[in-house]
Amino acid sequence: TDTPRRPDVLVVGGGIGGLSAALALTLQGLRVRLYEQAPEFGEVGAGLQLAPNCTRILHEYGLLDEVVRLGVLPEHMIMKDALDASELTRVDLKDLERRYGFPYLVIHRSDLHGVLLRGCERTGGELVTGTRCVTYENIEGGARVTFADGRSDEAEVILAADGLHSVARPLLVDDEPVNSAYVAYRGAVPIEQVRANDVHEKDVVLYVGPHCHFVQYPLRGGRMFNQVAVFRSPKALAGQDDWGTPDELDRAFEGTCGPVQKGLPLMWRDRWWRMFDREPLMKWVAGRIALLGDAAHPPLQYMAQGAVMAVEDGWVLAQHVGAQRAKRSGQGSGVGWETALAAYEAVRPEHCRRVVLTARSWGELWHQSGTKREQRNAVLRARDTYDYSFMDWVYGPTALTPSALC
Ligand code: FAD
């Protein structure tokens, strides 16, 4: 290769997953080089929810104070019926923080991305943009990646954090993204624009309705307001290619309550996100090439755990790297990679499988109509605000250790 010093690890993909993994490994003293295909690093200008199983890790990286300063600590998470606006259930997020030891927060994606990027720069990670990886191969004592321009680079290990359409995933499985036929519209606007709309400025609010839902929460210290509108596309169901267009957005929310109707005109109408996941995959490691984040486990976003799982992946791998590391000798990092990667693969896939499948069933529950909607509402209204039985396995620390398998 024509690169100066061989790094220990190459990371492909500079999203939240790739950056946080690069940070975790540089904090363990490894030399990491990260390649991103886009000409510049960045994220969509919308919001992201971060549950305690992520803020716990950000705290450990020394980043939580900055993330809290940039984001918002909402007071409640409230679920309402999208047709009649009645409250179905709520979570007290201050109590949740006491239970899990770390806060539930919401943040602008580009703010979190920037925090991770600056963290990587501080810890000496090498960050390269404008470089698209096209092939991966295992070589003696490591792995090699080749770029679209014909150059290549190699290291002891390559982490493929290259998202839903991962180029590395076919090394492990011959599968395709699963089309949910649902599409998401987003819109983040200055808070002044929604003040007249009766919004909760300090809460995360989720309206669930027939084949649609609508999410609202504040961002940037309450100066901005984030909205997400998700619905099932009739054109997708009919097999048409141009699905998810704004006319479908308006039709999907006909009949929903006033607060939802008032939010719709503020959605960005020039882009939308078609929602795909993949069937769970239990093998993420091929020799010295490992998948991470959406490349390994893209979920439907209903549990708000996609980015969170990606952050957990990097933390778990770095823990095992730390445990399997002898002194650096000559060119080598001193990491017992076979054991570290095997431990990563023993912990993470089972947890992420459960999240991907649970997210699908949450979607089914949220999107009910008719009698099933009424049954759902009765069950949710009966839930105790302080019942955490459906959250412990997600928000507690168990996803980080093999005990998650128990
Ligand atoms: P990506 O963000 O897809 O990053 C992959 C990166 O790799 C990109 O920068 C891409 O340019 C780069 N890349 C791809 N191919 C190549 C290549 N060949 N060579 C070089 N670089 C390449 N998650 C949460 O935790 N909380 C939420 O509240 C939440 N809300 C969501 C709301 C919506 C509407 C959606 C759609 C998703 C939501 N998610 C949420 C999910 C979350 O956004 C994703 O799971 C997460 O961003 C995945 O991160 P990643 O780094 O693994 O992948």
Side-chain angles (χ1 to χ4, degrees):
T1 68
D2 53 2
T3 35
R5 190 171 67 167
R6 182 172 139 143
D8 303 318
V9 176
L10 297 179
V11 176
V12 178
I16 289 163
L19 282 177
S20 58
L23 175 66
L25 294 172
T26 53
L27 285 170
Q28 294 289 345
L30 297 195
R31 297 172 188 147
V32 178
R33 185 176 295 147
L34 179 148
Y35 288 103
E36 165 59 44
Q37 66 183 1
E40 278 174 35
F41 286 105
E43 251 286 356
V44 180
L48 192 66
Q49 305 183 50
L50 298 179
N53 54 321
C54 183
T55 53
R56 170 183 291 116
I57 294 173
L58 295 175
H59 170 73
E60 202 179 302
Y61 294 163
L63 301 176
L64 185 58
D65 289 346
E66 190 183 357
V67 165
V68 168
R69 241 187 346 266
L70 293 169
V72 174
L73 298 179
E75 292 174 1
H76 303 97
M77 191 164 6
I78 304 171
M79 189 187 278
K80 298 188 182 194
D81 186 298
L83 296 185
D84 60 18
S86 63
E87 179 168 329
L88 301 176
T89 188
R90 67 166 59 204
V91 179
D92 173 344
L93 294 176
K94 284 283 157 282
D95 190 66
L96 181 130
E97 177 172 350
R98 275 191 292 279
R99 183 176 180 86
Y100 298 112
F102 294 92
Y104 194 103
L105 65 82
V106 286
I107 186 166
H108 197 280
R109 279 169 178 265
S110 55
D111 292 343
L112 176 66
H113 195 267
V115 168
L116 294 171
L117 195 66
R118 289 190 295 278
C120 282
E121 283 166 353
R122 274 199 303 275
T123 53
E126 248 184 275
L127 305 172
V128 185
T129 51
T131 309
R132 188 162 60 88
C133 302
V134 289
T135 55
Y136 293 78
E137 63 186 307
N138 280 294
I139 56 174
E140 179 69 32
R144 179 187 297 136
V145 63
T146 306
F147 307 117
D149 63 8
R151 287 179 309 130
S152 64
D153 198 0
E154 52 189 63
E156 292 173 14
V157 158
I158 301 183
L159 293 182
D162 52 349
L164 176 69
H165 301 287
S166 169
V167 176
R169 190 171 166 110
L171 296 173
L172 289 148
V173 64
D174 177 18
D175 71 350
E176 292 292 330
V178 177
N179 186 351
S180 70
Y182 275 78
V183 59
Y185 277 67
R186 290 162 152 158
V189 297
I191 189 76
E192 292 74 26
Q193 291 192 29
V194 294
R195 283 250 158 84
N197 290 4
D198 264 348
V199 299
H200 293 243
E201 290 190 29
K202 295 189 170 165
D203 300 319
V204 176
V205 179
L206 163 67
Y207 292 90
V208 293
H211 311 305
C212 67
H213 70 264
F214 195 72
V215 186
Q216 297 178 311
Y217 52 84
L219 288 176
R220 290 199 169 147
R223 296 185 303 283
M224 284 185 85
F225 201 70
N226 186 67
Q227 302 192 110
V228 188
V230 176
F231 62 90
R232 192 175 73 180
S233 155
K235 282 198 267 187
L237 293 178
Q240 287 174 242
D241 287 337
D242 68 328
W243 59 279
T245 44
D247 54 308
E248 289 198 308
L249 167 72
D250 294 326
R251 220 166 308 128
F253 284 91
E254 273 169 15
T256 54
C257 59
V260 172
Q261 292 289 336
K262 286 182 196 158
L264 291 174
L266 296 171
M267 308 313 296
W268 301 324
R269 283 171 181 254
D270 55 347
R271 56 190 302 202
W272 46 91
W273 287 264
R274 294 168 172 182
M275 292 171 41
F276 292 84
D277 64 2
R278 287 188 189 255
E279 293 304 332
L281 177 63
M282 299 307 285
K283 249 189 97 34
W284 296 2
V285 179
R288 293 295 185 89
I289 302 163
L291 305 182
L292 185 140
D294 269 13
H297 46 73
L300 300 178
Q301 82 274 16
Y302 307 148
M303 290 179 75
Q305 285 281 315
V308 170
M309 285 191 287
V311 172
E312 286 181 328
D313 291 346
W315 186 89
V316 168
L317 180 62
Q319 289 304 300
H320 291 289
V321 162
Q324 300 305 325
R325 183 140 188 232
K327 259 177 83 128
R328 185 180 283 281
S329 63
Q331 276 289 303
S333 68
V335 176
W337 281 112
E338 273 66 27
T339 316
L341 290 171
Y344 171 66
E345 203 175 39
V347 174
R348 296 298 298 157
E350 171 57 21
H351 176 78
C352 297
R353 180 191 71 85
R354 198 169 167 195
V355 173
V356 167
L357 297 181
T358 306
R360 284 182 185 171
S361 33
W362 279 25
E364 277 170 36
L365 182 77
W366 292 1
H367 298 144
Q368 292 297 345
S369 54
T371 316
K372 286 196 171 162
R373 162 182 165 248
E374 282 161 26
Q375 289 165 342
R376 174 203 63 202
N377 289 357
V379 170
L380 288 173
R381 286 195 178 105
R383 176 186 163 266
D384 185 305
T385 300
Y386 298 96
D387 173 6
Y388 292 100
S389 52
F390 77 101
M391 289 180 236
D392 281 344
W393 69 275
V394 194
Y395 297 163
T398 48
L400 306 175
T401 66
S403 63
L405 301 177
C406 298

